[in-house]
Amino acid sequence: MSTITAVNTYDLRFPTSSTLSGSDAMNKDPDYSSAYVAIATNADDGLEGHGFVFTIGRGNDVVVAAIESLARPLVGRNVENLLDDMRTAWDMFVHDSQLRWLGPEKGVEHMAIGAVLSALWDLKAKRAGMPLWRLLAYMTPEELVSTLDFRYLTDALTPDEAIDMLRRGRAGMAEREATLLASGYPGYSTAAGWLGYADDKMTSIAKEETQDKGFRQIKLKVGQNLDDDLRRLALAREAIGPDVKLAVDANQVWDVPQAIDWINHFHDFDLAWVEEPTSPDDVLGHAAIQRAIDPIPVATGEQMQNRILYKQYLQAGAFRVMQIDATRVAGPQEIVLEYLLANKFGVRVCPHAGGVGLCEAVCHFAMFDYLTVSGTLDGRMIEYVDNQHEYFVNPTRIVNGNYQAPTAPGSGVDMKLDMAERYLYRG
Amino acid sequence: MSTITAVNTYDLRFPTSSTLSGSDAMNKDPDYSSAYVAIATNADDGLEGHGFVFTIGRGNDVVVAAIESLARPLVGRNVENLLDDMRTAWDMFVHDSQLRWLGPEKGVEHMAIGAVLSALWDLKAKRAGMPLWRLLAYMTPEELVSTLDFRYLTDALTPDEAIDMLRRGRAGMAEREATLLASGYPGYSTAAGWLGYADDKMTSIAKEETQDKGFRQIKLKVGQNLDDDLRRLALAREAIGPDVKLAVDANQVWDVPQAIDWINHFHDFDLAWVEEPTSPDDVLGHAAIQRAIDPIPVATGEQMQNRILYKQYLQAGAFRVMQIDATRVAGPQEIVLEYLLANKFGVRVCPHAGGVGLCEAVCHFAMFDYLTVSGTLDGRMIEYVDNQHEYFVNPTRIVNGNYQAPTAPGSGVDMKLDMAERYLYRG
């Protein structure tokens, strides 16, 4: 029996805008930031639950305020009751009858709920002595599904279907786990592609990422100027050769008709996907774009607000690559639902990652999926950017372009807070 | 030449949960609240710009924090430059390249932006000496459209189409303005319908609202228990007679298949609409429901996050009654776009209203629409609930069930802050 004794929050902002790393058609000068929360208990194990929301600077204070407001009432609560019944924890936040007016289930409040629920799952995994990917994979299908909320999803996926899917998914799990621990999970690199980079910087990084570091896909930002895009794509394709995959990312810069026109200039480059052609809210727009640019696949998801949007993208055939994010939705329970939905519709998931812990966090879900949901690595890969890993206790390790499976207990997001402290924002 | 000298915010919470006024299938115990902002300048006129976000209690502090964080940097800014170019003000907030990560354009941050932009429009209308509905109607089509952002809308509506629409809409405007000033704009009453009310309370209020106060439509909350719903609908229909319209509101309680089953029990009651059958994020779900419950119209909008969702509902035929809200989106500019979109698709708009200033605020947009967009009252009406009007300097006046046109300069939301002060929330 132990109780929660403290909830500490941190408004961390890294001045990345000074290097133009992270610059794209919509995000000209991001300062990679983290609204970070640590939940402490009076248990003898001394373990804390950590979680965060990734932002790109301004407004990080508002997310911290939302986390504070949500998590403060946890102080004094019984830890075991909370962790043994994560569905009740979910309901307490996601279905709070007053808080849902602030969404429902979207934006600042939903991301803040995600940080708090993630911190609880982090503590649960640490107490179980397992990395989160393994905890999720080794829960029985019934146990895992009992934590999930199918509200607004049952026209696409029911709890019984989810249990069946997870039961089937367990066949061959031990073998896949061995493969994962031996070789890791494919990553791809966005390092070369920022719009702020000159051509020669772009091509030399592209070569380094693929020839030296072993990534088998790179991604370029596009959408500011068509001629620039065509020149950069030709240069990048030449630099990486025909066998490495090449994706592009427009970061929501276009309207629907403009997206169709622009992307239809890209057919010669054998693109792996076009990412975020327009607003992530536009299901019908993405469906129209996907039809009009066939066979180039549409990808999106890093700013998709919740499982209800993912459901519709899948129902409408609005993308062929689904990109989940670790800190956009309400934590592990919603991310697991996203993977189950994707598998039901036969769509591959290639998670979004990037700065300040996104790589460390999101790989757990891809690995869980490989073990017990899709059971395959085919066409799957996790984005990778080499940013702020040094501030993490167990930073992401890439070998031959593959994410190595984390083995430390927890969700992987523990920061070296003493070291990060110089980036604490003070208004 | 004047500058902004202060931005003051107020976290106001009215303890409405004690009366069950406001109770429905999802919102069991709302405490009607306002995240309120007042912007002061050093101009001789002494005018302030006021705006707010309506919430139902918990989390109101987070919205206040977001408003503070957004509006504080306005102190010291030139007022005339801001008010003369509202499109730049919009871009400054809605398209801030770092802030948009917190949405984009949804949830707490978007609502907070709405409060700040609304406060600027309030000041603009006060300086012009006109109520906001009249300011909007008397701007030239070119002027008004120049303030609007068509990003992500051009597959449905272009600026040129909007200008044409507003030009055509001006025919007969003077006559309609005279009608509006003489008789007002139709309202409807939700007072009888809260789920927490006993049958006899419901029927006696229904009679009072329609026979004494002259409302020609009432609305009941449904969705908690089908037998209760059928009994209450029969009682309500008996109380109001066949000529008064009767709508129902499920407040998002159902999944799609359940909504279809449940609503198809309602065909005998000649319903004006079924409101919020499921999640407001579910365009495809609402489209499926609308097809399956025909001819009962689907209505939704009070929690619709932005113009991109409205666009899709219209494109998909997902509702037949569009309900806008005054404080959910990014202020007057986005609400005007919503009306233009509705008119393009020939769908009627019946605004959501309720407590703490929603009635005072939203009627301006309906009246603007009547003057220069749709030009009709046919099937149009504004929700009315008699809550917290006493805290407003110019409270909504209802005569024979009609909203009387506000004549005071501004957007109508000035509160008697000295009187409301006892409801200031202090954590």
Side-chain angles (χ1 to χ4, degrees):
Chain A
M1 282 279 295
S2 55
T3 57
I4 292 176
T5 51
V7 169
N8 294 307
T9 58
Y10 306 83
D11 182 345
L12 295 168
R13 307 198 194 189
F14 297 85
T16 49
S17 57
S18 61
T19 65
L20 296 186
S21 160
S23 58
D24 61 50
M26 295 292 275
N27 309 300
K28 315 248 180 250
D29 54 355
D31 288 317
Y32 282 8
S33 299
S34 179
Y36 195 85
V37 60
I39 297 176
T41 81
N42 60 6
D44 290 339
D45 58 20
L47 296 172
E48 291 192 347
H50 289 202
F52 73 104
V53 175
F54 172 80
T55 81
I56 58 173
R58 283 184 290 281
N60 204 49
D61 49 323
V62 178
V63 183
V64 170
I67 292 173
E68 289 260 0
S69 174
L70 286 166
R72 192 65 61 200
L74 291 178
V75 173
R77 295 281 297 240
N78 177 284
V79 182
E80 290 76 21
N81 288 353
L82 273 169
L83 301 187
D84 289 349
D85 184 3
M86 288 301 298
R87 175 59 201 263
T88 297
W90 164 284
D91 286 342
M92 181 169 67
F93 295 117
V94 176
H95 294 307
D96 178 288
S97 69
Q98 296 188 348
L99 287 178
R100 74 187 302 284
W101 190 270
L102 307 184
E105 302 188 41
K106 58 183 65 76
V108 166
E109 194 67 20
H110 201 55
M111 293 192 276
I113 289 171
V116 177
L117 289 174
S118 294
L120 293 176
W121 277 95
D122 180 56
L123 185 55
K124 188 177 168 89
K126 285 171 178 163
R127 286 185 163 208
M130 284 196 259
L132 181 60
W133 60 268
R134 203 163 185 273
L135 175 74
L136 293 171
Y138 278 84
M139 287 172 81
T140 68
E142 292 77 8
E143 262 183 307
L144 182 55
V145 168
S146 76
T147 72
L148 306 180
D149 180 9
F150 290 80
R151 177 161 243 177
Y152 303 136
L153 297 184
T154 56
D155 53 328
L157 182 71
T158 65
D160 286 346
E161 283 178 293
I163 288 173
D164 283 350
M165 190 188 289
L166 287 162
R167 282 188 188 146
R168 286 195 309 274
R170 306 199 113 193
M173 180 164 91
E175 206 175 311
R176 287 193 296 279
E177 188 176 359
T179 306
L180 181 68
L181 289 166
S183 334
Y185 194 103
Y188 75 90
S189 168
T190 313
W194 308 113
L195 275 187
Y197 286 180
D199 289 353
D200 55 350
K201 182 166 183 179
M202 182 271 286
T203 51
S204 81
I205 298 177
K207 280 182 194 157
E208 191 185 320
E209 294 292 297
T210 55
Q211 292 161 16
D212 304 344
K213 298 192 185 156
F215 288 108
R216 294 172 298 284
Q217 176 172 312
I218 66 164
K219 191 168 76 184
L220 296 192
K221 302 293 183 175
V222 296
Q224 211 161 57
N225 178 292
L226 180 58
D227 290 334
D228 287 347
D229 288 350
L230 295 171
R231 189 189 69 253
R232 283 158 49 86
L233 282 170
L235 289 171
R237 179 51 84 198
E238 198 192 328
I240 62 178
D243 298 332
V244 173
K245 292 194 168 82
L246 177 61
V248 299
D249 185 355
N251 293 88
Q252 313 172 22
V253 77
W254 300 310
D255 278 22
V256 173
Q258 191 189 14
I260 292 170
D261 283 353
W262 199 299
I263 300 166
N264 275 327
H265 287 93
F266 290 165
H267 284 286
D268 290 345
F269 300 103
D270 188 23
L271 293 184
W273 68 66
V274 175
E275 183 170 327
E276 291 204 306
T278 190
S279 164
D281 303 349
D282 200 345
V283 181
L284 300 178
H286 279 84
I289 294 167
Q290 180 62 84
R291 283 191 300 273
I293 67 166
D294 186 76
I296 299 173
V298 169
T300 192
E302 73 184 57
Q303 294 189 22
M304 203 164 291
Q305 64 199 39
N306 59 37
R307 68 201 185 283
I308 303 158
L309 265 282
Y310 281 108
K311 177 188 77 168
Q312 293 175 82
Y313 271 78
L314 291 163
Q315 290 172 321
F319 56 20
R320 292 182 192 156
V321 181
M322 175 161 150
Q323 297 176 308
I324 64 149
D325 180 89
T327 79
R328 176 68 54 182
V329 299
Q333 288 149 284
E334 188 156 2
I335 298 172
V336 166
L337 279 166
E338 292 166 5
Y339 269 105
L340 296 174
L341 282 165
N343 195 52
K344 165 85 185 275
F345 286 85
V347 167
R348 65 185 165 120
V349 180
C350 295
H352 169 251
V356 210
L358 288 180
C359 298
E360 281 75 9
V362 85
C363 67
H364 288 265
F365 302 100
M367 293 173 186
F368 152 74
D369 170 74
Y370 174 51
L371 258 63
T372 70
V373 185
S374 77
T376 177
L377 300 175
D378 188 31
R380 272 78 174 169
M381 61 198 97
I382 307 168
E383 186 166 19
Y384 181 77
V385 186
D386 193 8
N387 261 335
Q388 294 94 35
H389 297 290
E390 64 273 29
Y391 296 98
F392 286 81
V393 177
N394 297 293
T396 293
R397 281 195 314 123
I398 300 284
V399 178
N400 294 328
N402 283 354
Y403 273 71
Q404 302 304 289
T407 52
S411 68
V413 305
D414 280 6
M415 289 189 84
K416 296 176 180 168
L417 288 166
D418 50 340
M419 187 175 156
E421 205 166 31
R422 55 189 281 236
Y423 294 113
L424 271 177
Y425 180 76
R426 293 184 173 87
Chain B
M1 282 281 292
S2 54
T3 57
I4 291 175
T5 51
V7 169
N8 295 306
T9 57
Y10 306 83
D11 182 346
L12 295 168
R13 307 199 194 189
F14 297 85
T16 49
S17 57
S18 60
T19 66
L20 296 185
S21 160
S23 58
D24 62 49
M26 294 292 275
N27 309 300
K28 314 247 180 253
D29 55 354
D31 288 316
Y32 282 7
S33 300
S34 179
Y36 196 85
V37 60
I39 297 175
T41 81
N42 60 5
D44 291 339
D45 57 23
L47 297 172
E48 291 192 347
H50 289 202
F52 73 105
V53 174
F54 172 79
T55 81
I56 57 173
R58 283 183 290 280
N60 203 50
D61 50 324
V62 179
V63 184
V64 169
I67 292 173
E68 288 262 359
S69 174
L70 287 165
R72 192 68 57 199
L74 290 178
V75 173
R77 296 279 298 239
N78 178 286
V79 182
E80 291 76 20
N81 288 354
L82 272 170
L83 301 186
D84 290 349
D85 183 3
M86 287 302 298
R87 176 57 201 264
T88 296
W90 165 282
D91 287 342
M92 182 169 65
F93 295 115
V94 175
H95 295 308
D96 179 287
S97 70
Q98 296 188 349
L99 286 179
R100 74 187 302 283
W101 190 270
L102 306 184
E105 302 190 42
K106 60 183 62 78
V108 165
E109 195 67 21
H110 201 53
M111 292 192 275
I113 288 171
V116 176
L117 289 173
S118 294
L120 294 176
W121 277 96
D122 179 58
L123 184 56
K124 188 177 168 90
K126 285 171 179 164
R127 286 186 162 205
M130 282 198 259
L132 181 60
W133 61 266
R134 201 163 188 273
L135 175 74
L136 293 171
Y138 278 84
M139 287 173 82
T140 68
E142 292 76 7
E143 261 183 306
L144 182 56
V145 167
S146 76
T147 71
L148 306 180
D149 179 10
F150 290 80
R151 175 160 245 177
Y152 304 135
L153 297 185
T154 57
D155 54 328
L157 182 72
T158 66
D160 285 347
E161 284 178 293
I163 289 172
D164 283 350
M165 190 187 290
L166 288 162
R167 281 187 189 146
R168 287 195 309 274
R170 307 198 112 193
M173 179 163 92
E175 205 175 310
R176 287 192 296 279
E177 188 177 358
T179 305
L180 180 67
L181 289 166
S183 336
Y185 194 104
Y188 75 90
S189 168
T190 313
W194 308 113
L195 276 188
Y197 286 1
D199 289 353
D200 55 349
K201 182 166 182 180
M202 182 272 285
T203 52
S204 82
I205 298 177
K207 281 182 192 157
E208 191 185 320
E209 294 293 296
T210 55
Q211 292 162 16
D212 304 345
K213 298 193 186 155
F215 288 109
R216 293 171 299 284
Q217 174 172 315
I218 66 164
K219 190 168 77 186
L220 297 192
K221 302 293 183 173
V222 295
Q224 213 163 54
N225 177 292
L226 180 57
D227 290 334
D228 287 347
D229 289 352
L230 295 172
R231 188 188 70 251
R232 284 158 49 85
L233 282 170
L235 288 171
R237 179 51 83 198
E238 198 192 325
I240 62 178
D243 298 333
V244 174
K245 291 195 171 82
L246 177 61
V248 297
D249 185 354
N251 292 88
Q252 312 172 24
V253 76
W254 300 310
D255 278 22
V256 174
Q258 190 189 16
I260 293 170
D261 281 354
W262 198 299
I263 301 166
N264 274 328
H265 286 93
F266 290 164
H267 284 286
D268 290 344
F269 300 103
D270 187 24
L271 293 184
W273 68 66
V274 174
E275 185 169 326
E276 290 205 307
T278 190
S279 164
D281 303 349
D282 199 345
V283 182
L284 301 179
H286 279 85
I289 294 167
Q290 180 63 83
R291 282 192 301 274
I293 67 166
D294 186 77
I296 299 173
V298 169
T300 193
E302 73 183 58
Q303 294 189 22
M304 202 163 292
Q305 65 199 41
N306 60 36
R307 66 202 187 283
I308 303 157
L309 264 282
Y310 281 108
K311 177 188 77 166
Q312 292 176 83
Y313 271 78
L314 292 163
Q315 290 172 322
F319 56 20
R320 292 182 192 156
V321 180
M322 175 161 149
Q323 298 177 307
I324 63 149
D325 180 90
T327 78
R328 176 69 52 183
V329 299
Q333 289 148 285
E334 188 157 0
I335 298 172
V336 166
L337 279 166
E338 292 166 4
Y339 269 106
L340 296 174
L341 282 165
N343 195 51
K344 166 85 184 276
F345 286 85
V347 166
R348 64 186 166 116
V349 180
C350 295
H352 169 250
V356 210
L358 288 180
C359 298
E360 282 74 10
V362 86
C363 67
H364 288 265
F365 303 100
M367 292 171 185
F368 152 76
D369 170 75
Y370 175 52
L371 259 63
T372 70
V373 185
S374 76
T376 177
L377 300 176
D378 189 31
R380 272 78 173 168
M381 61 197 96
I382 306 168
E383 187 167 20
Y384 181 77
V385 185
D386 192 7
N387 263 335
Q388 294 94 34
H389 296 291
E390 63 273 29
Y391 297 99
F392 286 80
V393 176
N394 297 293
T396 292
R397 282 195 315 122
I398 300 286
V399 178
N400 294 328
N402 283 354
Y403 274 73
Q404 301 305 289
T407 52
S411 67
V413 306
D414 280 6
M415 287 189 85
K416 297 175 178 168
L417 288 167
D418 49 340
M419 187 174 157
E421 207 168 30
R422 56 188 281 237
Y423 295 112
L424 272 177
Y425 180 76
R426 290 183 176 88

